[in-house]
Amino acid sequence: MSEPLNLRRLTIMPTLKCTLRCKLCSNYMTMFKNPEHVPTDELIRDIDRVFELVDYTEWLQFVGGEVFMRQDLGKVYEHCLDYKDKFDHLILITNATILPCKNDIAVFRKYGKHMQIQISDYGKHSPKAAAMAALLQENGIPFVVKRYHGDLQHYGGWVDNTHFEEHGKSEEALRKQFQHCGQVAMRNFHMYRGKMHGCARSLMASTLGKITPAARDVVDLYDKTETDEEKREKIRHFNDSPRVSCRSCISFGENVERFPAAEQL
Ligand code: SF4
């Protein structure tokens, strides 16, 4: 029996569609020509499959795009309850442009304290922020509001990580950048359409075709040429050393220049 595969954060992207068009979107939503919602049966299949490989994750996150554009994800969140012994918190991140539907609220209530909605409040671009906070409060659904407007923005604002040219960094510089990367510290593994990467940039830059990830940077949940134990071993070692995506990344360290969040194209 191999050692358990315990993660910190596992993020699933159920949609590439968004209600906003943020210039510096760190998931590059505006760069997709035909953004799509992932069908719910596919999401459920991926969740079943990933929990065959992963023993536990502290946070199971759903991030878009904007998750509340969809009114059909309640059955996916409900399905995740079948794995409630395999994760501690369901986390959803929203830009507060659309309120969650009644069905979502009914499912969220079943999670009790084992979930959290993270509201990114972009000021005038988040017109439902106050109403959403009130709705969640009324239903006893845990939430936090991250302020991304005016002075004192969360994390000092956003970074501009929208370029993909390699910077010719030395191995040593790459290693240092990797060691100080917030995404690495958070072990924020990301998944879209059956592919898991060690960070959002590696996943999305690969999905966009901007980079070709190394074999060690990605696990295809359905790849029959690898055993499940080989996949588990790759996931275990995602954060051992810099990935291909790091070569063009400005990283998310504290000293990287910040810009106002959610400026629209
Ligand atoms: S590409 Fe590398 S440096 Fe950039 S977020 Fe991912 S792990 Fe961090």
Side-chain angles (χ1 to χ4, degrees):
M1 179 93 171
S2 68
E3 70 180 274
L5 178 56
N6 296 333
L7 308 186
R8 191 163 172 205
R9 296 187 183 183
L10 174 60
T11 298
I12 295 173
M13 304 191 61
T15 185
L16 300 185
K17 294 190 187 195
C18 194
T19 44
L20 296 178
R21 286 183 53 73
C22 299
K23 201 159 70 177
L24 301 181
C25 177
S26 61
N27 285 349
Y28 315 119
M29 294 297 99
T30 60
M31 294 187 193
F32 286 90
K33 291 213 166 55
N34 298 301
E36 45 190 15
H37 291 330
V38 181
T40 53
D41 53 354
E42 186 178 328
L43 288 165
I44 286 172
R45 187 184 60 153
D46 288 353
I47 288 160
D48 289 342
R49 178 69 186 121
V50 82
F51 280 122
E52 286 176 0
L53 301 173
V54 170
D55 295 296
Y56 184 79
T57 182
E58 286 173 27
W59 285 10
L60 178 64
Q61 306 192 109
F62 284 82
V63 176
E66 173 48 40
V67 290
F68 293 139
M69 284 179 88
R70 299 190 63 167
Q71 305 223 326
D72 58 350
L73 289 181
K75 66 173 134 177
V76 176
Y77 308 136
E78 177 105 45
H79 186 75
C80 292
L81 282 166
D82 291 351
Y83 296 99
K84 64 181 188 304
D85 57 337
K86 285 185 168 257
F87 66 96
D88 190 52
H89 268 71
L90 177 78
I91 307 286
L92 268 70
I93 298 179
T94 174
N95 63 20
T97 52
I98 301 178
L99 293 178
C101 65
K102 276 190 182 155
N103 190 37
D104 282 356
I105 294 287
V107 179
F108 296 157
R109 288 171 63 118
K110 296 183 187 177
Y111 277 88
K113 62 181 176 32
H114 289 283
M115 81 160 298
Q116 185 184 72
I117 310 271
Q118 299 189 348
I119 301 173
S120 299
D121 181 358
Y122 300 126
K124 67 180 179 186
H125 300 303
S126 298
K128 304 287 187 197
M132 188 176 294
L135 178 67
L136 298 175
Q137 179 103 41
E138 191 184 306
N139 283 280
I141 297 163
F143 66 96
V144 291
V145 180
K146 295 183 180 175
R147 179 189 162 98
Y148 283 105
H149 61 97
D151 297 333
L152 297 175
Q153 297 198 7
H154 192 66
Y155 278 124
W158 283 4
V159 300
D160 181 358
N161 208 8
T162 56
H163 303 280
F164 300 97
E165 306 81 36
E166 292 198 8
H167 302 154
K169 295 171 204 160
S170 68
E171 290 304 313
E172 179 59 13
L174 273 175
R175 198 180 52 74
K176 274 200 182 133
Q177 169 185 304
F178 191 73
Q179 276 172 349
H180 292 103
C181 174
Q183 295 299 301
V184 175
M186 288 188 288
R187 286 190 277 139
N188 200 359
F189 297 171
H190 273 65
M191 210 170 91
Y192 176 68
R193 304 210 108 150
K195 303 255 186 3
M196 194 197 294
H197 290 242
C199 68
R201 182 174 171 88
S202 181
L203 172 66
M204 301 321 287
S206 304
T207 306
L208 276 165
K210 301 284 188 188
I211 63 162
T212 305
R216 61 171 285 271
D217 295 344
V218 55
V219 166
D220 179 340
L221 303 184
Y222 302 100
D223 180 354
K224 289 195 168 36
T225 67
E226 281 175 347
T227 66
D228 280 5
E229 195 44 46
E230 284 167 338
K231 292 182 179 66
R232 282 159 60 86
E233 198 59 10
K234 271 171 80 172
I235 297 168
R236 254 185 215 111
H237 293 284
F238 268 163
N239 278 357
D240 281 6
S241 54
R243 358 182 184 282
V244 168
S245 55
C246 300
R247 295 179 198 159
S248 57
C249 183
I250 53 130
S251 181
F252 291 86
E254 281 174 11
N255 299 326
V256 177
E257 185 181 5
R258 294 307 203 259
F259 297 87
E263 285 187 330
Q264 299 297 289
L265 285 172

